[in-house]
Amino acid sequence: MRADAQVLKGHLDTLLLASLENGPRHGYAVREALRAGSGARFDLPTGTIYPALRRLEAAGLVKGTWAEVGGRCRHTYLLTPAG
């Protein structure tokens, strides 16, 4: 496991929740916010981001809704009061 991956382990949920603190975002925007906010240190694959967002949604920490963004229908996530 790479050093960056080891640092991330156990903190992904917190990072995802923090990326939604300023308002709702669709999954790719969450991924880009993490990448930009970490100076590209956390350039995570979508196969990591989307399952974690679904897990947070199942736990009631985020709420997912469908919205049109840039002419495309995307699943947008926002923090719940529990998140």
Side-chain angles (χ1 to χ4, degrees):
M1 187 176 276
R2 289 186 8 226
D4 287 348
Q6 191 64 21
V7 168
L8 182 63
K9 190 172 181 148
H11 299 284
L12 179 60
D13 291 355
T14 303
L15 291 169
L16 292 174
L17 293 171
S19 74
L20 295 170
E21 187 174 22
N22 292 326
R25 295 178 189 223
H26 56 82
Y28 185 77
V30 169
R31 179 182 183 263
E32 288 300 303
L34 285 177
R35 191 176 81 61
S38 68
R41 186 171 181 193
F42 298 136
D43 191 8
L44 303 172
T46 56
T48 298
I49 299 291
Y50 289 106
L53 286 169
R54 285 192 295 274
R55 185 177 64 249
L56 291 171
E57 187 176 13
L61 299 174
V62 300
K63 180 180 179 189
T65 58
W66 288 100
E68 189 173 323
V69 179
R72 295 176 61 186
C73 194
R74 297 182 187 248
H75 201 88
T76 302
Y77 299 90
L78 65 141
L79 286 175
T80 65

